[in-house]
Amino acid sequence: MRHKVDFLVIGSGIAGLSFALKAANYGKVGMITKSKIDDTATKYAQGGVAAVIYSPDTYEKHIRDTMIAGDELSNPKIVDITIRESTARVLELVEWGVNFDKTDSGKYALAKEGGHSEFRVLHHKDITGAEIEQKLILAAKRNKNITILENCLAIDIITQHHLGVEVSRKTPDIRCFGAYVYNPNNKKVETVLSKVTMMATGGIGTVYGHTTNPNIATGDGIAMVYRAKGTVEGMEFVQFHPTTLYNPKETPSFLITEAMRGAGAILKDRNGDEFMSKYDARGALAPRDIVARAIDNELKISGSDFVYLDATALPKDVIFSHFPNIYAKCLSIGIDIMRDMIPVVPAAHYSCGGIKTDEWGESSIQHLFASGECASTGLHGANRLASNSLLEALVFSHRASLKAVEDIKKIDFCDEIPEWDTEGTVLNEEMVLITQTKKELQTIMSNYVGIVRSNLRLQRAFDRLEILYGETEELYKKSILFPEICELRNMINVGYLIIKNAMDRKESRGLHYSLDYPEHRDVSQVTRDML
Ligand code: FAD
Ligand code: SIN
């Protein structure tokens, strides 16, 4: 079975939906999403969207904060583009129906988070992502040019490799003709041909044992592009959010937004003593890499499983108006945040690296764009500034749409693409092989490739992963396809990329900290070595 669409969008979070809504003015959009339409990281975003709205904030200040957080590895041109387009993009969200909180005087109520020198985070209580996701879905469902297929998993992008042409990482003109997609209704892999494809598959958090990310975050887009010999970069920069609720049995880990620290909540050790001022003059509002490492260090010294976030001094009306979801969640497990300190622990949260894209969101593969968390635009460098990711998705989905609508005028469908080859495969009856390997992968990544790394830990992770890789590839080749094996394969692929990039970086920078190379290196030397 084959389908044809002008624009194939893989993923229904902020990146996919905002691109689709724009592209739909110029052609037919087919959006596929591997779970329910709102099963996205976007839905879970709490803090909000960073954008320059009122003075005394300025583009220059936001640019500077982003560059400082990125620890000298952000691309200045991309930072400039993103921040200067921030105001227009968030106002567009408002046009799509998104409600951001306002003060009594009718101005937007802006929050502050770690690394921001000004109040600039637009939010909808502490459920900003749910508000955005819901309004974008409504707009997409109303649009006659957008067809949405839920529970359909993209397995691989289609390139000339599928026409029997050899492709390597050095091939300059790899082209994307669409994707092979698993349809659960007939349990078949179908061919979706497109003129342009937008990869918007989100993050990689589930590669780790503890993560704020929903189950869909298995790094599929990154793995697909890597397999197709596209360029993937910066995977060593995995951001651990410093404050997730310590509630060991809960998956994903529940986030306690950084905006709470912005409002005055303080990090304390098990004796109730403030500790962040020992690590950084900015205290609990230092950039995330610093706060997460400080907490990791406190936990190692004390042997505790968590530290505390003390929000008891926050006024009641602030809790009820800005943090009602966190208040209710904590209360549901017996913690009244107006009286009790909140036990918190870091968890894997965000991938700064991903599919390398240019200033128009285009990847190294022709006709393939990427936006949102699966992309590496160069904005975040070695560490993302809080609330810059929803913004990044909006800016680059917009820019990609401008380029893509021009491109489709010159592109034809490639009708010679063959159907998916299922020869020699049998039904795999042993799900335990998948679930167990996934657990092993998460244990390896959490223990050896977490907040603090070393040569020995990375080597051990690499060796263990090689075994899992071999076993899983073997199983994949023999199995009739089903989503779980595809996702596991992608997770192993992503784990490999994180380890490999971490091994290659012989220094500590931003989110990557190595006990063997604790120093920063000269940036020009680092760049030369990586070329
Ligand atoms: P997602 O929203 O994750 O969407 C990915 C989509 O791709 C999903 O629809 C998924 O089903 C689909 N998909 C994946 N693989 C496939 C496949 N193989 N085939 C078909 N479909 C597929 N950022 C901020 O800027 N501000 C915040 O306040 C903030 N808070 C956050 C709080 C939490 C708890 C989390 C987890 C993240 C937060 N972030 C925040 C980060 C931000 O939410 C994400 O980076 C952003 O939403 C990613 O959007 P996306 O569209 O790239 O991906
Ligand atoms: C948060 O609300 O702390 C998360 C913000 C983000 O990840 O950008």
Side-chain angles (χ1 to χ4, degrees):
M1 180 103 146
R2 55 177 60 210
H3 313 264
K4 284 184 182 180
V5 286
D6 296 313
F7 306 95
L8 169 62
V9 179
I10 307 176
S12 56
I14 189 169
L17 286 166
S18 61
F19 175 85
L21 284 168
K22 295 192 168 190
N25 294 327
Y26 300 88
K28 293 280 176 208
V29 177
M31 172 178 279
I32 61 159
T33 184
K34 70 177 174 179
S35 182
K36 279 183 23 222
I37 187 166
D38 69 344
D39 196 355
T40 61
T42 300
K43 182 174 78 172
Y44 291 91
Q46 290 190 358
V49 193
V52 176
I53 304 291
Y54 305 125
S55 71
D57 200 6
T58 60
Y59 292 128
E60 287 71 26
K61 285 184 191 170
H62 192 176
I63 288 169
R64 196 171 58 236
D65 294 344
T66 303
M67 293 296 295
I68 290 172
D71 209 359
E72 301 177 61
L73 285 197
S74 298
N75 178 336
K77 184 174 169 197
I78 295 295
V79 175
D80 201 78
I81 288 174
T82 311
I83 306 305
R84 288 186 197 280
E85 294 184 13
S86 64
T87 322
R89 295 288 77 79
V90 297
L91 292 179
E92 213 160 50
L93 273 185
V94 175
E95 278 166 32
W96 277 322
V98 173
N99 283 307
F100 291 117
D101 289 352
K102 292 189 172 168
T103 63
D104 293 342
S105 67
K107 291 177 92 177
Y108 286 114
L110 302 175
K112 193 171 186 179
E113 295 178 18
H116 288 276
S117 59
E118 291 291 348
F119 285 80
R120 63 167 73 99
V121 182
L122 289 142
H123 56 90
H124 179 93
K125 302 189 176 65
D126 50 359
I127 49 167
T128 313
E131 168 71 7
I132 294 174
E133 182 71 14
Q134 196 193 7
K135 296 293 162 60
L136 294 184
I137 290 173
L138 268 181
K141 284 191 169 167
R142 273 196 219 113
N143 194 310
K144 295 213 164 41
N145 261 355
I146 302 178
T147 306
I148 300 164
L149 292 176
E150 292 181 301
N151 302 311
C152 290
L153 177 99
I155 294 165
D156 265 320
I157 59 164
I158 303 170
T159 67
Q160 56 265 52
H161 162 77
H162 297 96
L163 293 168
V165 178
E166 206 173 306
V167 169
S168 80
R169 269 177 223 292
K170 298 224 166 74
T171 309
D173 63 344
I174 307 176
R175 268 159 295 145
C176 175
F177 302 116
Y180 288 118
V181 176
Y182 177 79
N183 180 348
N185 298 319
N186 56 16
K187 299 201 167 34
K188 292 250 167 8
V189 177
E190 300 184 351
T191 309
V192 183
L193 298 178
S194 59
K195 294 182 178 171
V196 154
T197 300
M198 164 52 84
M199 194 63 84
T201 47
I204 57 105
T206 59
V207 163
Y208 287 88
H210 295 285
T211 178
T212 60
N213 290 193
N215 282 338
I216 54 100
T218 49
D220 297 359
I222 296 171
M224 283 188 261
V225 170
Y226 187 72
R227 276 198 298 274
K229 314 285 186 225
T231 308
V232 171
E233 65 175 13
M235 294 299 293
E236 69 272 41
F237 298 122
V238 177
Q239 186 170 70
F240 286 76
H241 197 291
T243 55
T244 70
L245 183 63
Y246 176 75
N247 191 19
K249 289 190 199 94
E250 186 169 2
T251 317
S253 304
F254 182 80
L255 188 80
I256 308 290
T257 176
E258 204 158 299
M260 201 164 233
R261 277 176 278 139
I266 294 168
L267 280 164
K268 294 186 170 172
D269 64 18
R270 64 177 171 182
N271 303 317
D273 295 326
E274 187 281 332
F275 60 83
M276 267 315 298
S277 52
K278 280 190 302 198
Y279 295 88
D280 195 285
R282 290 162 291 187
L285 280 181
R288 261 177 214 175
D289 55 329
I290 295 169
V291 182
R293 250 190 328 271
I295 295 177
D296 190 63
N297 195 43
E298 289 292 316
L299 297 180
K300 291 215 166 88
I301 292 169
S302 66
S304 293
D305 289 329
F306 52 81
V307 295
Y308 287 110
L309 184 69
D310 185 355
T312 54
L314 265 55
K316 262 188 185 160
D317 62 312
V318 171
I319 299 279
F320 287 136
S321 64
H322 194 163
F323 307 111
N325 187 42
I326 293 176
Y327 173 71
K329 169 70 194 183
C330 290
L331 206 56
S332 77
I333 58 164
I335 300 165
D336 177 351
I337 65 174
M338 300 207 219
R339 282 192 296 114
D340 311 318
M341 296 197 288
I342 312 167
V344 291
V345 67
H349 182 59
Y350 185 84
S351 171
C352 292
I355 303 159
K356 185 175 165 56
T357 54
D358 66 13
E359 66 197 271
W360 298 104
E362 196 158 16
S363 75
S364 64
I365 298 179
Q366 290 174 20
H367 315 155
L368 178 72
F369 292 79
S371 177
E373 193 164 337
C374 70
S376 172
T377 62
L379 176 71
H380 309 307
N383 181 27
R384 175 180 67 107
L385 186 66
S387 289
N388 261 359
S389 50
L390 295 172
L391 172 64
E392 181 195 39
L394 289 172
V395 168
F396 287 95
S397 286
H398 169 75
R399 293 177 73 84
S401 75
L402 297 179
K403 175 83 175 18
V405 300
E406 288 305 315
D407 287 357
I408 61 158
K409 296 175 190 159
K410 298 167 265 170
I411 302 170
D412 285 326
F413 294 110
C414 183
D415 287 314
E416 296 81 51
I417 296 299
E419 299 292 309
W420 182 258
D421 183 7
T422 52
E423 215 185 288
T425 55
V426 291
L427 192 63
N428 168 40
E429 309 263 14
E430 292 211 75
M431 201 51 146
V432 64
L433 297 176
I434 310 284
T435 49
Q436 207 47 41
T437 307
K438 184 169 159 183
K439 278 189 204 148
E440 281 179 53
L441 170 71
Q442 291 171 330
T443 308
I444 293 166
M445 294 302 290
S446 300
N447 290 339
Y448 303 139
V449 202
I451 296 174
V452 175
R453 298 153 183 185
S454 71
N455 286 345
L456 201 60
R457 291 178 197 176
L458 291 176
Q459 189 58 52
R460 182 155 297 190
F462 189 87
D463 295 343
R464 298 286 191 274
L465 221 68
E466 220 167 19
I467 298 170
L468 299 185
Y469 172 78
E471 290 171 352
T472 306
E473 283 302 299
E474 195 65 20
L475 192 62
Y476 173 83
K477 278 184 209 134
K478 287 193 299 209
S479 302
I480 288 177
L481 280 196
F482 55 101
E484 288 81 357
I485 186 138
C486 298
E487 289 182 331
L488 174 64
R489 192 174 177 232
N490 292 334
M491 290 167 76
I492 291 176
N493 222 306
V494 163
Y496 162 80
L497 287 168
I498 297 171
I499 298 168
K500 186 75 184 46
N501 286 185
M503 284 173 136
D504 289 347
R505 184 164 289 284
K506 307 267 186 262
E507 62 162 353
S508 289
R509 183 178 295 276
L511 297 160
H512 172 73
Y513 186 81
S514 163
L515 293 171
D516 296 296
Y517 309 104
E519 304 295 332
H520 244 163
R521 289 176 65 202
D522 171 53
V523 177
S524 54
Q525 181 61 41
V526 172
T527 316
R528 275 200 299 280
D529 284 358
M530 299 190 88
L531 289 175

